[in-house]
Amino acid sequence: MPAPYVHFRFAMGEYQGEPSYLVQSAKGLLWLNLPDELCGLLRRLPSGDICDFSLGSSGKFYIKWKEDGTMKRSLSRGLWQAINQNPNTLLDRLSLGAEDTHWGATVGGTKSFFLLELSLRGQIIKAESAHRVQDFRFVSLGADSTYCYNLAGTISTRAKDPRLKAEIKAAKVSGRSIMNVVLSPESTTSWLIMYADGTHDGMLPGDWWKAIEPYFQLRYSLLTVPAQRLRTHPATPKPITTLNAPIRMLTFNSVEYHQLRSLFFDGWKHPHKQLPSLVRIYAIDLPDPLWRPYLTYRLRIESDLGSLESLNERKTFHGTPRKCCIGDPQKTLQLCSDAACNVCSIIRTSFRIDLAGTAPGRNFMRFGRGLYTTSVSSKADDYSVTQANSPYKAMLVAKVVLGRGYSLMRTTKNLIGPPVGHDSVLGTVGVDLNYDEQVVYRNDAIRPAYLLLYEP
């Protein structure tokens, strides 16, 4: 069962022994291996009129849509009886799992109805004694009694795939909001997490990603495109102009803002440098094609090392020249076209190993040609040069997967990668370094995540 408010809707099912899916975004609808009854309905309905859907095993489906000012529902043959409901029942939400498992709620109902395995059934009953049924933001049922649900902002799950458990744990630790988790009734290793920022992560059959990925672009979010602009595949709506800006300002009262603020000030360690004033913090909204390689690399390293802790993912600082006024108060949030503006170039294309060391003053690379960051904001400040008519300086905060780091205290300029068996080089304070630095040698290991604007 998709959450009521999502950037994209996605469901997985099984029909005639093969996996199936249904996707909805502002780009339209896309589906694979669905029963003829449902395919016919999807071809008839405008995509923007569809409000909810779910797929189960053996071709079971549920779909809700608006037509002539009223809400209509269609269920696969025999499903009304299987869920023990009358065809005139006003279903609000319905989640389908393996075999006949299900969870549902009716319009205005105070209790849900369900057929679930014993432990989950007990959790639902206990939860409904203290919460409204509307407090279930999503309920997803999967194969082999797996499940995931969000009750009033708290996510509970039983997952067989350790990667799914690790991703949910990581989101909780980082404060990243999950909008929906989609499970497969056919496989415990197929799943998808949809985040509130419009990004997603998961494990799906390899040939699915190429077809589905174009529909999961943030410019096709269902939360930003009016319903009347949605069309059925293959028509493509115009891009949403409000999403063209690559950065968005974080509000002062947000948890994310204060986490970044603390990171910046705690990292200001040079005793001779006066602590600057932090003016603005922007989150960088990279398009999905740039995020996907990073997430894939992140999952691979986590799988190789066997735990989320060993992943060694950090937020670190990177200083580089800015030749425009992007982010300045009362100025533009759009990227400039100057190829020498490294800030805009990195936001546009992410970090590139082929351009490493090309910025003015960066031809010395202590540990060879790599992508350098540091936990010391005052060190990154040495390289944060604004070459425009602006009183402010800008600094990038990167997300970087360090994995198995190899510590070095002495300059080793001939490196072209980390030593065998390692994923990064950790420049350690001691012989040649006064402040730390981290180096990765692959584009996929690092992404720009935030832009800090400060007054020196």
Side-chain angles (χ1 to χ4, degrees):
M1 176 205 69
Y5 302 102
V6 289
H7 289 288
F8 320 102
R9 292 192 179 96
F10 178 66
M12 288 185 281
E14 174 269 325
Y15 180 54
Q16 295 181 338
E18 296 293 331
S20 56
Y21 67 74
L22 174 57
V23 179
Q24 180 194 16
S25 75
K27 185 176 174 65
L29 296 173
L30 181 72
W31 62 85
L32 174 72
N33 190 37
L34 297 181
D36 291 342
E37 180 185 2
L38 179 55
C39 290
L41 188 59
L42 294 173
R43 292 189 181 100
R44 179 177 69 83
L45 292 175
S47 175
D49 290 346
I50 296 174
C51 304
D52 195 9
F53 54 77
S54 182
L55 300 177
S57 58
S58 303
K60 295 184 182 69
F61 69 84
Y62 153 75
I63 184 169
K64 182 171 71 171
W65 72 95
K66 293 179 181 177
E67 185 172 349
D68 299 327
T70 62
M71 198 68 72
K72 296 191 175 183
R73 302 154 182 85
S74 179
L75 279 67
S76 53
R77 189 169 303 166
L79 188 53
W80 282 111
Q81 183 177 0
I83 65 173
N84 198 27
Q85 297 293 317
N86 187 293
N88 295 322
T89 300
L90 298 180
L91 290 178
D92 184 27
R93 294 182 282 170
L94 179 63
S95 179
L96 301 173
E99 301 179 351
D100 289 328
T101 57
H102 62 268
W103 179 94
T106 59
V107 176
T110 58
K111 300 290 182 182
S112 61
F113 59 90
F114 45 76
L115 176 62
L116 304 168
E117 58 89 28
L118 187 60
S119 66
L120 179 56
R121 185 165 69 241
Q123 291 181 50
I124 297 293
I125 293 173
K126 182 179 179 180
E128 289 185 348
S129 66
H131 295 269
R132 304 174 306 158
V133 69
Q134 292 83 0
D135 290 335
F136 284 99
R137 299 180 184 176
F138 66 79
V139 177
S140 296
L141 306 174
D144 200 14
S145 299
T146 55
Y147 62 81
C148 186
Y149 65 86
N150 183 320
L151 176 63
T154 299
I155 293 180
S156 300
T157 185
R158 173 194 281 175
K160 298 293 178 71
D161 190 333
R163 292 167 295 189
L164 174 57
K165 291 189 286 188
E167 286 297 324
I168 293 175
K169 179 181 177 182
K172 181 179 180 180
V173 170
S174 66
R176 196 177 184 192
S177 179
I178 293 177
M179 272 186 145
N180 195 22
V181 176
V182 183
L183 304 178
S184 167
E186 182 255 349
S187 170
T188 59
T189 57
S190 293
W191 49 271
L192 186 76
I193 298 176
M194 296 180 170
Y195 296 99
D197 61 6
T199 59
H200 53 277
D201 201 3
M203 297 297 296
L204 300 177
D207 55 346
W208 284 17
W209 282 118
K210 186 176 181 180
I212 292 172
E213 194 68 40
Y215 288 77
F216 286 168
Q217 303 293 317
L218 194 55
R219 64 180 180 271
Y220 298 138
S221 168
L222 296 172
L223 297 182
T224 56
V225 184
Q228 61 267 26
R229 291 183 57 185
L230 304 188
R231 297 292 183 267
T232 301
H233 176 79
T236 303
K238 296 178 180 178
I240 311 305
T241 56
T242 56
L243 291 177
N244 283 345
I247 62 175
R248 54 182 170 81
M249 189 173 70
L250 299 180
T251 59
F252 180 78
N253 60 355
S254 70
V255 173
E256 196 173 13
Y257 179 97
H258 286 279
Q259 288 175 340
L260 270 297
R261 184 177 184 273
S262 296
L263 191 73
F264 178 75
F265 287 133
D266 291 346
W268 199 269
K269 299 185 182 299
H270 284 61
H272 66 279
K273 286 188 176 184
Q274 184 178 350
L275 198 65
S277 298
L278 193 56
V279 178
R280 297 277 173 89
I281 301 179
Y282 297 94
I284 299 173
D285 292 325
L286 292 179
D288 290 356
L290 280 180
W291 266 121
R292 174 56 48 187
Y294 175 80
L295 295 174
T296 301
Y297 177 75
R298 183 179 182 274
L299 278 173
R300 183 176 70 78
I301 296 298
E302 181 186 334
S303 177
D304 289 347
L305 300 182
S307 71
L308 185 63
E309 289 74 15
S310 301
L311 181 66
N312 204 5
E313 184 180 33
R314 302 185 193 176
K315 292 185 180 75
T316 53
F317 300 101
H318 180 82
T320 197
R322 180 178 68 137
K323 299 201 70 173
C324 66
C325 295
I326 185 172
D328 282 19
Q330 311 304 319
K331 299 292 185 179
T332 182
L333 298 184
Q334 303 294 331
L335 300 176
C336 75
S337 57
D338 192 334
C341 182
N342 287 18
V343 167
C344 287
S345 295
I346 290 172
I347 294 174
R348 180 180 289 111
T349 66
S350 187
F351 295 88
R352 290 173 48 186
I353 195 74
D354 61 309
L355 297 178
T358 60
R362 294 301 296 268
N363 57 326
F364 171 74
M365 290 182 282
R366 190 179 303 277
F367 301 113
R369 181 175 291 276
L371 302 170
Y372 286 70
T373 63
T374 177
S375 69
V376 182
S377 54
S378 54
K379 177 174 180 171
D381 172 70
D382 291 344
Y383 306 94
S384 298
V385 181
T386 294
Q387 300 168 336
N389 186 23
S390 169
Y392 308 112
K393 299 181 76 172
M395 183 183 300
L396 292 166
V397 177
K399 284 187 177 180
V400 56
V401 174
L402 298 174
R404 294 155 295 199
Y406 187 83
S407 294
L408 285 174
M409 300 178 69
R410 294 185 179 277
T411 298
T412 314
K413 292 191 291 184
N414 61 341
L415 287 178
I416 59 174
V420 175
H422 296 81
D423 307 298
S424 62
V425 165
L426 308 179
T428 306
V429 175
V431 180
D432 290 338
L433 280 171
N434 295 321
Y435 300 97
D436 70 61
E437 55 190 41
Q438 303 82 36
V439 194
V440 291
Y441 300 85
R442 310 174 43 110
N443 295 339
D444 295 349
I446 184 171
R447 287 294 182 267
Y450 301 94
L451 176 68
L452 308 182
L453 199 71
Y454 60 102
E455 189 171 11

